């Protein structure tokens, strides 16, 4: 891609640079700023309230807060677009009550901010809740001794300490926003992901797509650099601090009402309304849709998810074990390298992978002719998509496996080696059984992310290869929202089941610890 920057500039690029580039930059920055602000503030409020105050069923409420993560933003966008359009559910409800209908333009920048914030907020909650749980009681006692109220303690002591954690969760949200294509495309919000897709496939202009991808990469570096600066010089919370001995405070009446108002509004907007609307639509369209190759779509989705998941787990185990045993420069380098893919938006990965494999295909022309294969053997195959997805989601699986390796350390491995077992035998019979929870978590997380993935699959899939996500996108683009709802519910059902399983695994692991 860097080499592509030095290629001659096309007429398309001159048009993009002078006419629409400013709008891409402005829309992208507005989207990032607004979504980041909403998710950071509301997510922190919900996470802080549930970890520090004693409401009924705190654990259950915390688990329910993560359920919106099972709904990809593009599906949430299709739902709210259908609810608020001129013949949508809201207007029909108003007419049935004899009220004048109100019109809200959901297919706009404001609508995109709303949908992204609702369905990506669990990232902030997931990251911050662990930090808030581990806060030692001494911080609060010291603040009270100095005369601070609970309100002052949060804003003067806790919030400055936790800004790095909040920034970390917010950065995950922003990277997902930059990665999205389905929602911004459906809402008609021109940003870099739609621009890259239009330049590549609409105009057939690879050089303009490369330039747009490099500008987007620059925005990613700015986001990551800002997060790095915010996390510097922050005192760390002791890893072994036991926050469980500190009892949760009883909430004031004002806080009780504020929390439950925000909580139930969020759950309603993030889970109940989308699922209820999809169920209603799927009931209308189930007869037409189920007979249209649904088994083939499920087979393609499962095949893609399983192959990518196996690749991620195998690579993660090899690199994680190497890092644990060697702990040298190369181990640290590989461990940093494999998580880099998640910070790169899908359109950039798609452009880079496609350019790379075009070069590989060109260099292997003689081999292809000798074997009787078609000229674009790799670029026209499923291998291209599998490679890109593995690159993109390696961080998801590796982080879980790395946490498992850190948990068990190497003392059991060394003991087995001392007793005469080979390296492979020590790993297989000693380390592997203890790694099973981490491996299972990595499998679930990777598989569900591949199941929901849209931009890479849309750009790099072979001809006539569809998954559940691409079929949802196609139906929604053709204004066949009712038909899309059946496939959307399948994605949400599997993702929700995986999230519930993950919660159960974590709860079991904590009780074991």
């Amino acid at each position: 891609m860097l080499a592509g920057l030095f290629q001659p500039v096309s007429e398309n690029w001159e048009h993009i640079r002078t006419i629409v580039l400013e709008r891409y930059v402005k829309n992208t920055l507005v989207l990032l700023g607004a979504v980041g602000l909403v998710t950071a503030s509301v997510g922190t409020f919900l996470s802080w309230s549930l970890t520090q105050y004693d409401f009924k069923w705190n654990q259950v409420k915390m688990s329910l807060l993560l359920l919106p993560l099972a709904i990809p933003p593009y599906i949430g966008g299709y739902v709210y677009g259908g609810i608020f359009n001129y013949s949508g559910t809201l207007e029909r409800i108003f007419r049935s009550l004899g009220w004048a209908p109100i019109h809200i333009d959901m297919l706009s920048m404001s609508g995109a901010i709303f949908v992204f914030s609702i369905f990506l907020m669990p990232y902030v909650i997931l990251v911050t809740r662990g930090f808030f749980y581990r806060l030692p009681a001494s911080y609060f006692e010291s603040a009270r001794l100095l005369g601070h109220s609970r309100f002052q303690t949060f804003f003067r002591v806790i919030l400055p300490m936790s800004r790095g954690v909040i920034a970390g969760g917010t950065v995950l949200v922003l990277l997902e926003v930059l990665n999205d294509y389905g929602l911004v495309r459906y809402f008609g919000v021109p940003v870099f992901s739609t621009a890259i897709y239009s330049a590549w496939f609409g105009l057939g202009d690879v050089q303009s797509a490369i330039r747009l991808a490099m500008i987007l990469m620059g925005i990613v570096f700015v986001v990551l650099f800002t997060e790095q600066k915010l996390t510097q010089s922050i005192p760390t919370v002791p890893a072994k601090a036991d926050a469980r001995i500190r009892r949760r405070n009883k909430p004031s009446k004002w806080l009780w009402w504020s929390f439950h108002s925000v909580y139930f509004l969020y759950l309603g907007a993030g889970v109940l309304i989308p699922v209820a609307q999809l169920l209603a639509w799927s009931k209308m369209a189930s007869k037409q849709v189920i007979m249209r190759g649904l088994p083939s779509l499920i087979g393609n989705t499962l095949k893609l998810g399983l192959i990518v998941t196996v690749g991620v787990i195998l690579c993660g185990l090899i690199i994680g074990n190497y890092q644990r045993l060697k702990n040298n420069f190369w181990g640290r380098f590989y461990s940093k390298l494999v998580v880099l893919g998640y910070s790169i938006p899908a359109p950039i990965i798609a452009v880079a992978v496609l350019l790379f494999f075009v070069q590989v295909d060109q260099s292997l022309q003689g081999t292809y002719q000798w074997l009787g294969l078609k000229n674009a053997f790799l670029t026209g195959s499923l291998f291209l998509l599998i490679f890109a997805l593995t690159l993109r989601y390696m961080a998801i699986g590796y982080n879980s496996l790395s946490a498992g390796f850190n948990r068990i350390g190497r003392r059991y491995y060394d003991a087995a080696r001392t007793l005469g077992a080979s390296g492979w035998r020590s790993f297989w019979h000693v380390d592997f059984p203890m790694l099973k929870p981490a491996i299972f978590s990595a499998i679930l997380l990777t598989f569900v992310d591949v199941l929901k993935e849209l931009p890479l699959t849309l750009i790099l899939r072979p001809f006539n290869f569809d998954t559940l996500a691409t079929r949802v996108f196609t139906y929604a683009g053709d204004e066949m929202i009712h038909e899309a709802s059946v496939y959307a519910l399948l994605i949400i059902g599997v993702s929700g089941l995986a999230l519930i399983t993950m919660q159960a695994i974590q709860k079991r692991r904590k009780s074991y610890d």
Side-chain angles (χ1 to χ4, degrees), residues 30 58 142 338:
V30 169
N58 279 47
S142 300
V338 294

Side-chain angles (χ1 to χ4, degrees), residues 184-229:
V184 289
R185 173 76 175 76
Y186 186 71
F187 276 39
V189 179
V191 292
F192 277 97
S193 59
T194 57
I196 293 170
Y197 193 88
S198 299
W200 187 293
F201 295 99
L203 303 174
D205 188 348
V206 179
Q207 301 307 324
S208 295
I210 291 174
R211 284 176 166 77
L212 289 166
M214 292 307 293
I215 296 174
L216 179 57
M217 197 65 215
I219 295 176
V220 172
F221 279 132
V222 170
V223 170
L224 295 177
F225 177 76
T226 306
E227 187 250 350
Q228 188 70 24
K229 295 296 289 182

